[in-house]
Amino acid sequence: MNHELQLDQHSLVSAWQEQLPALMDKGESFTVQADAADQHSLLVHFNAAGRQGYSLDFRCTYVDSREVAVDLLDVEQDGRHTDERSDAVQQLAQRYTRQIHECAQALHKLTH
């Protein structure tokens, strides 16, 4: 059975921009853009809610139409690179990784 991704990157970005807000908490924001280096990848940037000023960047790569690999690329606090090993950052990274997987799952009907 062919499980290759059947959706072009531009359509994928649009679908993610529509679906992801439903998974976000109040006060959070995000951007999704195509990864110019890989047609099967998206770059997702999250701005966390709250006064700590965290932002996290992820690469979401479609392994096939059903599975995504998620990589944390960068963490910043108030515009400066910060240690991604802190508990607060780890919790945010886990939550956003889960949201990325949930979004990919919700879009399965489009990507399959």
Side-chain angles (χ1 to χ4, degrees):
M1 187 181 273
N2 182 0
H3 292 294
E4 266 190 50
L5 186 61
Q6 300 297 323
L7 202 60
D8 70 274
Q9 203 174 29
H10 179 73
S11 300
L12 204 53
V13 168
S14 296
W16 274 74
Q17 288 171 335
E18 287 177 28
Q19 183 66 40
L20 199 51
L23 304 170
M24 304 287 293
D25 289 343
K26 186 176 180 175
E28 294 179 325
S29 63
F30 72 95
T31 57
V32 179
Q33 60 189 47
D35 182 349
D38 181 355
Q39 65 177 355
H40 294 119
S41 293
L42 302 174
L43 300 175
V44 186
H45 173 87
F46 289 98
N47 293 307
R51 291 187 298 273
Q52 293 166 318
Y54 285 115
S55 64
L56 289 81
D57 293 313
F58 294 87
R59 177 180 291 117
C60 172
T61 304
Y62 276 84
V63 177
D64 60 28
S65 66
R66 300 164 304 170
E67 184 184 351
V68 292
V70 180
D71 298 303
L72 178 61
L73 301 177
D74 187 38
V75 179
E76 292 186 354
Q77 185 174 17
D78 294 324
R80 291 184 305 279
H81 184 78
T82 191
D83 185 2
E84 55 197 54
R85 294 173 303 221
S86 74
D87 285 347
V89 170
Q90 285 299 308
Q91 289 175 2
L92 282 171
Q94 288 172 357
R95 186 157 55 87
Y96 290 140
T97 298
R98 190 168 52 249
Q99 288 174 332
I100 290 171
H101 282 287
E102 287 172 9
C103 190
Q105 194 69 39
L107 294 174
H108 183 251
K109 62 189 176 296
L110 288 176
T111 58
H112 191 63

